[in-house]
Each structure stands twice: as structure tokens, then as C-alpha cells.
Amino acid sequence: MAVSNPVAFKPFPVTFWTTVTYIALLVPLIVIHESVPPPPSNPTLDSGLNLTKSWLDLTVISRDYHPFNSRKNDEIHDWLLLELDEIKKRNGANDSSVVVLADNVSNITTANSIFGATSPVGTYFEGTNVIAYIRGKDDPSGRWWEDGTVYSDKIVGKGGVLMNAHYDSVSSGFGATDDGMGCVTLVSLVDYFSRPENQPQRGIVALFNNNEEDGLWGAQAFAHNPLLPFCHTFLNLEGAGAGGRAMLFRSTDAQVTNAYKRTKNPFGTVISSDAFGLGAIRSNTDYIVFDGVFGLRGLDVAFYRPRARYHTNQDDAKHASKASLWHMLSSSLHTMQELSGDTGQTFIGERGDGDRKKVWNGKGTDGVWFDLFGKAFALFNLRTLFAWSLTLLIATPLILLGLTYVLIRKDKYYYFSSRRTAYEGSDLDPVMLGGRRGLVRFPLALVVAGALVVGSAYLITKINPLVIYSNEYTVWAMMISLFYFVFWTIMAGANFVRPSALHRGYAIFWLFTIAWGVLVADTVFEDRFRIAGGYIFVFFHSAAFLASFISLCELFALPTKASFAQRVHDEHEIRDHLAAVPHADDLVSPSRDELDAEDEDDGDDEVESQSPATETTPLVGRGSEETRHTTFATTYRRSILAIVNKTTLNEDAKNLPYAYEQKWSANLPSWVWSIQFLLLGPFFIILAGQNGLTLVSAVSQTGADGSSLLVPYLITAFFSIFLLLPITPFIHRVTHHVPMVLLGVFIATLIYNLAVFPFSEDSRYKIYFQQTIDLDTGTTKVNYAGLQKFVELTIAELPSATGKEIKCATRQGQRPGLVICSYDGSAVPPNVIKSPSNGIPPKKGFSSWLDFNITRSGDETWARFEIDAKDSRSCAIIFEKPISSFVVHSNPPDERFGSIPEGGLTKIKLYRRDWITPWSVDVQWEEDADGVTGIDGRVLCSWDDVNTPGTIPAYDEGVKYAPRWVGLSKYSSGLCEGSKAFKA
């Protein structure tokens, strides 16, 4: 018995292999996406790396809330100093090898925020950074940073590596992953490199900076540290989510990325780096300070999911894992070993910013990078990708056109050929080729199926906009199954009505055309905007080109159109001639050979109708054994017919066309589709699958932040379509079983996505809290920000809001897209300043929380503000009209961070190192057009420490009584803000 071809282009093989391929690739991608590589069984795998010790350190850092404006922040600062000193003692290090510094002198004044501000804001910040310097083998001896030799030629060309994390948390989160894991990783790396056997070749500076959360101020304060000019590269560790894998967020260039490349479990894609560069991601990290302001080259490694726990009380050790900590720790160790051990020419050469007062660090080249299954890491230059893209844009159409020309010359180009005459100059009817059949099916199916998928995104956004918050996979399943079913229905239906052997080829040509058009735009972005995230389109275009090339090469197996037309014409001539031969013995039964030939005929020739009965016709039909009278004519005719039919059947039986497809397609190899699917499918499914999973997870919970509710669904729709493109040229051969199952999946997931409640205890909706107080009048309001529907549900559960009028409105500035609902907070007044006498209501002492004095002489447009606040080291001055300049404690704005805008400033933020030293702020403004020289405004201070219950009772109430599916986060830098008006 003959064995059928297991990869023939027939329903079962196509269904089996395509389904198996998708399952075999998508299941591991999902498993890898949802899991973290396990930590080693030996907690002290490497000398100086102790995972158990690092985990215990994490529990210390994340035990309490420790924002910059809290006493617990000071405790973490002191703990870091003690821990670093203990490491020195334990490793037998002295100041000649390891130096620990408490930087209590670096202050920074800026005239604007380097990111994120909707209006210009001036800031004065006093730093409390902790720094550890580990001397490298190539570093000079002594405390060289104190005598200015850092600027000499002895240091230029060598330098060292900066590794950074911030030790403050937000006021509403314990900071286990943001950025406790980064801090304990740095502590562990200091422990590792301070051991004599692990001394780095180039020096390492470990920066534990403070107050990153309010505006990256600790990193900016490092601008005045003498160790900055020594650093040529950096590794920044951050947490933009609350667990999972530590992702390579972004990188300045390919050379520093190469230091990360060989980590055991790399994870990341250049798409995230491009998203930051294009402004698609609104939050930021210290990376932009080190790269954009200081001119260093380096990497940003961070946790990115889940966002629901980010900046809430679930960012704690309980909801973190040792596996996540180990993933960051192990990748950071390898990266630092590579960066500090590079003694070649990688970081030698003129700086990109041209600053001669800093160590050389050379100029890197833009890179393209992505991981594969979290195990392998691809890295190459962007210029290489651009050259590849440009070559593809020019060469691939020319190659296909050249091959098409050869096929036309050989008379084998069946595409777009509807008919062909058998003989040149003949007036006979042409032979129908059916070469245009299947031309427009693919774009029609793609437009209809794609439109329905995008429409489903709008439908979900309209009915249940946050279902993706905790149900990513049901949204994925709904969109994938919808596209697959609709596309299959159109393509399989069209092929059933009008079968075509060119159906697959036309679909692949359409894929090539679309990919070529996308590649044009992608190449422009690569060249003009240095965007590397389009690498996936380059790979897909390459695959589509090769598949198209194969589709054209298939045609060489076919007969020429002329020979086919002649054969068909000659066959019809013979049959027509024989049908016209006069015969008197039509009633004579055909021979057995003729019967067999007629039974096996494929039905293309019409069957002659039987002669009508006459008076000589027997009443009972003749048996097969009955003897017939024959003549020479009938015998001759039967013999010729048998010869013609048997010859045709013997030829066609070897390779019949599939079903009712064109007869000339009989010689097409049936296995070629498998090569095309291998080119289009596996690698592209991996890239589209893991990028889609990563991006959707990154944005699925950003709707709570005020980001677009539609974007996560559009991204899911795009990748759902993109993921299924490799199967589209072959989908018409898939049996109905898979589409019918997916139809059921679509119906079930659609109903579920429209009806299910979008939040759970594991994926809590994030609502933003702040209490405000007018310290002059004692009026206080409790404010909750979020989507109005869910904010109102939350406020309805709060005892202090019972019977109160709830006012909801949008505000310009922070948290765009969210509604702020407020109510009278007199029932839960804040108690941030302990009353000296029990029984006295807190509001009686509101006015004493903040003191300020304004000095102004006559009609001068200048004034000095002296400001002090109890138990707070964060205040601000808000002006009703712009000021033109300001100086704080004789510190003017640092021009490296931008100058005062032409329109002036309306706000100055103030941060101090201690809790008692008043701020002294000199401001200047312009006289009004109407001659008014005075200025009005408000002085505002914030309080953020809620480690002691009852300090901000409204916040405690929200944490206790809010629904289980709600998590509270800070609205702005202060959980509680109090202000007083002034007139100067």
C-alpha cells in the first residue's frame, strides 16, 4: 500500500503541521513569559554572592514605607552605611581598596524638570546619597578625586563603571522591587568586587541615590560629586513593576549592550528602548540623567510587571520572589564583570558630549537587540540593519521581477494569465488557464478579518474597558480566534467556489507587497530617527521574499502555456473527431477496456447520452456476458477511443491536480508549501509572540495611570493579526475542525470579556490618594483620583464619606485622563504634627505646621522667602504670575539641566537634607504692564510618613475600607499637602 506524502499540500497535513507548530512555539513562550528562572540551589554559588543574605537585606529595606520625606528614609540611609562598612571589615578591605562615602554636601538647583513636567518647575535639592568606590587594578592610588587629578591625562582613557539604584520608596509602597532589589543587588556586588580575588580591572562606583521618586533628584545631585568625571559607563537598576524578570529596558549603544549579551537568562528587546525614545512611555528612570545630562554610556535594567502592585503596599517582600532577585543579581554581576573588565578600545576616544573634564568614553553605535526564549540574545548594529533593509528594498523586487521575466520568456508564467491560444495566429477559441483566479482573496480576507478584530478592540473598550487589566489571555484568545475563523471562512469559502492552484502564491505575493511597503517606512525610521524596533519587519520581509521566490520557482515544473494549450486543444480535436464518426452500430456495448476507461475518467469530458429506445430494443437489459454482434467500424472506433482515454489517464494518474484546480497545476510539487511555512512561520511566530506578550503586559494595567484605555487592545489586535500572518497563505487548506473550535473560543471569550469584573485581589485597580489642607482656614479635603465609576464605588465604602457631597472633576497637569473626586475631610483630619496636649483637635494646630517670612523692600520686584515646616523636608512656592529668576541658599540653577524658560516659572520645589534648617529663597519677577510690582501665591508643604497609624487617618481608612480589588497609591509627591497664602 502506497504511503501518502506527510507534507503534501492537502487538508490533513496542513492542519496538523500548522497547528502543531503554533502550539509548540506559543506554549513555551507563555510559560517563559509567566515564569522566572529559578535561583540556584546553592545560595552562595559565587564567592561574595549570597542570595540568602541578599533576601534578608531586602526584608530590611522593605519593612516600612521609606519615602524621602520620612524618618524611615534616614534609617535606610544609615543602614546602608553600616552594611557597607561591615562588608569592608568582613572582606579585609581598607581605604586603599574600598571607600565608603556619605555625600551630604552635593546640592542641585534646576530651572526645569528634565522630564514629565507639564509646566516649568524650578527645584532645589540637597542630596543624601551613599557612595562606595571599589578601586580597580588600573586605577591610581590614594584619594585622587580630592586633589583634582581626575582631570589629568593619567585618568583620561581609563576611568571606571558606575552602578546605580535608589534607596527611597514612594509614600504608598514598601519598595521591595522599586528599588529595594536594585539596592540589595548593589550591596551584593560591592561585597563581591571588594574581595581581593574579585578586584575589578577598572574601578567601580556604587551609587545609592535618594529621592528618585519625586524627580530623579539623587542622580542629578551626583552632578557635583568628584567621582562623576571618573565614570565612563553605567548600569542603572530600577523597578517599574513589582516582580517577574528584570528586563533590559534600554541601552545607549551596541557596545555596552554586548556586556549584557552573555548573561545566562537575558531578557529584553530594543522595542522598549525605542518606546522611551519616542515618548510613548511617560515615566522615566535615572538612566536619562546619566545618559542625557552626564554623557555616560550604559544600560537600564528594570522590573516591568505587574504594574498593579507598583507603588502600592503590595510592593513588598511577600509579593516578591527570590527568583526575581536572583535574575537581577546574576545579570547585573555578569554585566559589571564585562564593563569593568574591558581593557580594550571599546571606551577609548573622544566623548560624544565633547566634555574634556570627564574621562574618555568613546562613541558607541546604535544597536539592535532582542532575546529568544529568555536564553539566547541577538545583538547587531543598527547600521547593519539599515544596510540590510535598504538592500532588501532594492534587491528583492528586482530579483522577483527578473525571475518573472525568465518565466515569461520560457512561457511558464501562469500568474495573471487568463487564457492562451493553442497556435499563434489561429482563429480557434483560446484555452482557459484560470491564472487570475485567487488574485484578490487575500486583501479582502485581511481587511475584513482585521477590521473585525480592531472592531472587537473598540467594542471591549466601550463596554468593559479594563478587562485586560487582569485577563490578558482571554483578550488574546478572543482576537486570535476571531481573526483565524473569519480569515479561514473567506479564504476557504472562496477556494471552494473557485479552486485555484495559485491561491497560495497570490497570498504570499500580497504578504511580500505589504511587507515591502512597511519596510519602506521602517527604513526611513532606522535612518532618520535611529529607531531599531522595526527589526521584526525586516525579518518578515526577508521571509516573504524567499517564500515568493519559491512560489515563482515552482512554475518551472509546469509545462509551457503553449504546450498545455496545444495538448488541451488536440485532445478536444480528437474527441470531437471521434464523436463525429458515423456509426451504425451505436447500440453495440462497449468493450471492457472502454468501460474501465470511462469509469476512471475525471469527468472533464462530457458523457455521451444513450440512444433512445426503439421497437427493436429488448424489454430486459442485456447482461454483461451476452454476445454482441460487432463490425469492423465499431471495433475500430472502440479501439481508438480506448487508446486515447487510456493514454490520458496514464499521464494524469501520475500527478492529478488537487480537487478542481487548474489542470496545468498537476505537476506542481505538493511539498513546497512546507518550506514556505518554515520560512514564514517559526522564527516570526517567536518574535511576534514574545514581543506581543511583553508589550501587552507592559501596558495592560496602565489604564489606571490615566493612559489610553484603547491602546492595550489595539496592541493586542495588531500582534494577534501579526502572529497569524505566517499561516494565512495556507489557511484555505486547513480542515474545518480548527476554525470551528476557535469559533467556540471566540464566542466564549467575547461573552466573558464583556461581562466579567475586571479586577481581583491579585490585580487590584490602582486609585490615587491625597489629602489637602488649607492651613489658614483649617479646611481639609480628601481626594481620590481614577476612573470615576470605580472611584465612586470606592468612596461609597468609606465611613468618613458617608453623607458627604462628592464632587468629581478633571484637573490639568498631573494624571491626565483621570477624574478627581473630593469630599470634606473634617471627620478624618491629618495628625502629622503630634499635638503637645491630648484632647486638642489637630486642626487647632494647623497654622503652626508651616512658617514663612517674606522680605521685600519698597516697590522692588525682588523678595526673599524664609520657609520652615515641622516634620517635613519637602515644600514648594507657587506664584500667581511667573518669576524670572531664583536663587536658593546662594545656589543659582545649574545650566546643565536647562535654563529658565522665557515665560518664567510659576513654581519652585524645595527639598532639604535635615528637618530643621529653613530654606532661604531669593526670587525676582517682572513688573506688570499696569504697574503692579507685588506678587501673590501660596507656600505648600507635604507630609508623607504613614508608618505610624493615625498620622493620616484618611489614608489609613482608605487602606482598611476600600474594596479588596482596590490598591491605593500616592497622587503626587505628598500624601498630605498643606498650604498658606502669601502676598508680597
Side-chain angles (χ1 to χ4, degrees), residues 10-46:
K10 294 183 178 180
F12 178 76
V14 173
T15 303
F16 177 79
W17 290 116
T18 55
T19 304
V20 166
T21 300
Y22 271 92
I23 293 175
L25 293 175
L26 292 181
V27 169
L29 286 177
I30 293 173
V31 170
I32 291 170
H33 178 71
E34 291 295 331
S35 61
V36 183
S41 55
N42 182 359
T44 56
L45 183 65
D46 296 289

Side-chain angles (χ1 to χ4, degrees), residues 216-295:
L216 317 179
W217 297 114
Q220 294 180 68
F222 189 62
H224 296 296
N225 192 282
L227 287 170
L228 172 62
F230 169 75
C231 302
H232 57 54
T233 52
F234 70 91
L235 171 64
N236 181 55
L237 303 179
E238 182 57 277
R245 295 178 183 234
M247 180 182 185
L248 178 57
F249 254 25
R250 47 188 161 172
S251 170
T252 57
D253 55 78
Q255 287 71 34
V256 293
T257 308
N258 193 58
Y260 176 86
K261 178 180 179 179
R262 284 177 286 276
T263 58
K264 186 176 181 181
N265 297 290
F267 183 67
T269 171
V270 72
I271 295 176
S272 63
S273 184
D274 288 342
F276 276 104
L278 292 171
I281 300 177
R282 294 189 301 189
S283 62
N284 240 308
T285 70
D286 291 328
Y287 174 96
I288 65 170
V289 179
F290 302 132
D291 170 38
V293 181
F294 299 157

